[in-house]
């Protein structure tokens, strides 16, 4: 854990120095990947590239959901469940020679989650015509799942819940179309595997079904694309702001003299000690099973880097609030952090065999580390004065969070439009 924190800090410094010299994040990642001496297979590179594309789609979708005051996929386990549906459906479609393809529903600028924007869509792979829409919903138990489904719009979609809950949820929510898988209908005969939460951890450790149709002919170009997509995902994640507001909701803070101490520590050049403490706290609540934001056996590099990014975000937002950093610079810093994290997960010293699978979930779960469930468990591990400092600090930076989020989502929508134009030119 300590080694991972130090390694992330070193990589982030290296990247930011490289950027200051005029190099792109893609150039930096190319050089560092080569320096690492690690051989990553062409298939693994392409899977990572596709995963980062999906991450961008997810985080933009979730930002649209927040605009509609809804929350989707806030943990790695949620993302895995969703991806389990997509991967198994597409593998089965390829085996059957069917003309169907499942993917994350990429948001149009005016999409509203639950109305014309969903978790997963099945399309005709050749014409792109939308055939069926799905939202994947489950809570910590049957009753919470029923409550979540009840709050969800029923129109134009099927609701996927764990297979063993289908009949009861359908009975309790008669106006919704409840299923345990995607596909398997009169229109789309191919079906995914059923949603089974017990298999989520195993899914992380299994290889993605080898259905990637585009072969990597130029690994360097693919690494460059990964850097660009990873950077974008870090920028988009700034648009997710609900977590930190939920953390401080209803928390009273007293005024006391330790404020300056925390401020000085946090704004110092070397915050590895604070990052390590945060990583230890996050690891404790995860491994005790107190939260489901990460699986209990999440690699140390994943826990350490998420905690490091959390501390860096607070430090950065405090600088923006003080006028020491522009919003534009802060957004670039967020992108840089995500690229550094990608390097750590895949190529660097503490990279774990399946850590890269978490990378596509990071834009979604990264900001949510601050939410009420995770944040309160972590701050409960420390004494009251520190807890109050954390909450007070969070309250102070919320206005800045909103400013950064607004700017980041403008950037996200511009990139989304550019991506659409690129796709149109490719298909034409």
């Amino acid at each position: 854990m300590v080694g991972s924190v130090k390694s992330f800090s070193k990589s982030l410094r290296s990247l930011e120095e490289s950027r200051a010299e005029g190099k792109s994040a893609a150039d930096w990642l190319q050089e560092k990947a080569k320096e690492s001496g690690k051989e990553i297979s062409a298939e693994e590179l392409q899977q990572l590239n596709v995963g980062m594309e999906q991450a961008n789609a997810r985080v933009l979708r979730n930002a649209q959901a927040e605009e509609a005051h809804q929350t989707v996929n806030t943990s790695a386990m949620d993302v895995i469940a969703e991806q389990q549906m997509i991967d198994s459906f597409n593998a089965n479609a390829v085996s059957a020679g069917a003309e169907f393809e499942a993917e994350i529903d990429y948001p149009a600028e005016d999409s509203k989650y639950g109305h014309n924007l969903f978790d997963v869509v099945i399309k005709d792979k050749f014409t792109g015509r939308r055939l069926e829409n799905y939202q994947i919903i489950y809570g910590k138990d049957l009753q919470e799942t029923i409550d979540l489904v009840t709050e969800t719009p029923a129109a134009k979609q099927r609701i996927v819940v764990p297979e063993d809950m289908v009949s009861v949820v359908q009975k309790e929510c008669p106006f919704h179309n409840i299923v345990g898988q995607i596909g398997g209908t009169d229109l789309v005969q191919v079906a995914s595997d059923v949603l089974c939460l017990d298999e989520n951890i195993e899914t992380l450790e299994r290889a993605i079904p080898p259905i990637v149709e585009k072969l990597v002919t130029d690994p360097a170009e693919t690494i460059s694309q990964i850097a660009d997509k990873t950077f974008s995902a870090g920028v988009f994640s700034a648009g997710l702001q609900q977590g930190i507001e939920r953390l401080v909701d209803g928390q009273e803070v007293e005024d006391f003299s330790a404020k300056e101490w925390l401020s000085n520590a946090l704004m110092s050049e070397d915050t590895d000690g604070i990052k390590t403490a945060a990583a230890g706290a996050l690891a404790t609540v995860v491994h005790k099973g107190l939260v489901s934001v990460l699986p209990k056996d999440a690699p140390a590099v994943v826990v350490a880097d998420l905690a490091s990014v959390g501390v860096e975000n607070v430090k950065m937002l405090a600088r923006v609030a003080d006028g020491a950093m522009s919003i534009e610079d802060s957004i670039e810093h967020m992108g840089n952090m995500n690229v550094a994290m990608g390097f750590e997960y895949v190529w660097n010293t503490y990279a774990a065999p399946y850590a890269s699978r978490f990378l596509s979930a990071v834009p979604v779960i990264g900001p949510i580390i601050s939410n009420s469930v995770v944040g309160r468990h972590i701050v409960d591990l420390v004494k009251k004065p520190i807890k109050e400092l954390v909450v007070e600090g969070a309250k102070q930076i919320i206005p800045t969070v909103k400013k950064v989020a607004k700017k980041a989502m403008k950037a996200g929508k511009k990139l989304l439009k550019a991506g659409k134009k690129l796709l149109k030119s490719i298909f034409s």
Side-chain angles (χ1 to χ4, degrees), residues 256-330:
F256 56 94
S257 60
K259 280 189 235 176
E260 192 176 342
W261 170 81
L262 181 68
S263 177
N264 290 339
L266 190 59
M267 300 311 290
S268 67
E269 192 67 31
D270 183 6
T271 51
D272 283 359
I274 294 175
K275 291 173 185 174
T276 304
L282 178 58
T284 300
V285 296
V286 167
H287 293 306
K288 283 185 175 181
L290 298 176
V291 295
S292 61
V293 69
L294 293 169
K296 290 183 180 181
D297 58 351
V301 66
V302 172
V303 177
D305 283 14
L306 284 177
S308 295
V309 168
V311 172
E312 282 288 332
N313 274 333
V314 172
K315 181 175 179 178
M316 177 197 68
L317 290 165
R319 292 187 67 202
V320 173
D322 288 344
M325 178 184 271
S326 70
I327 290 179
E328 287 78 8
D329 286 345
S330 73

Side-chain angles (χ1 to χ4, degrees), residues 341-400:
M341 187 155 45
F343 172 68
E344 291 294 310
Y345 283 10
V346 180
W347 284 279
N348 214 5
T349 308
Y350 298 95
Y354 59 97
S356 63
R357 295 295 293 275
F358 284 95
L359 191 59
S360 63
V362 164
V364 180
I365 65 176
I368 308 300
I369 293 297
S370 301
N371 78 3
S372 57
V373 178
V374 181
R376 283 179 185 149
H377 272 111
I378 291 176
V379 295
D380 281 346
L381 293 173
V382 297
K383 293 178 181 178
K384 187 178 178 183
I386 301 298
K387 178 178 179 179
E388 291 183 335
L389 276 173
V390 171
V391 174
E392 183 185 72
K395 281 185 174 179
Q396 288 176 355
I397 64 172
I398 279 177
T400 306

Side-chain angles (χ1 to χ4, degrees), residues 73-125:
N73 282 353
T74 54
S75 78
M77 304 315 293
D78 292 332
V79 172
I80 293 161
E82 181 180 275
Q83 200 60 46
Q84 177 189 340
M85 299 282 95
I86 292 171
D87 289 343
S88 63
F89 177 88
N90 287 336
N92 293 342
V94 169
S95 297
E99 298 178 359
F100 306 122
E101 186 172 44
E103 62 183 26
I104 295 153
D105 194 9
Y106 214 90
E109 194 171 340
D110 58 351
S111 292
K112 189 175 180 183
Y113 186 77
H115 294 276
N116 56 349
L117 172 63
F118 307 95
D119 287 349
V120 176
V121 59
I122 295 178
K123 294 182 176 179
D124 183 304
K125 69 189 298 183

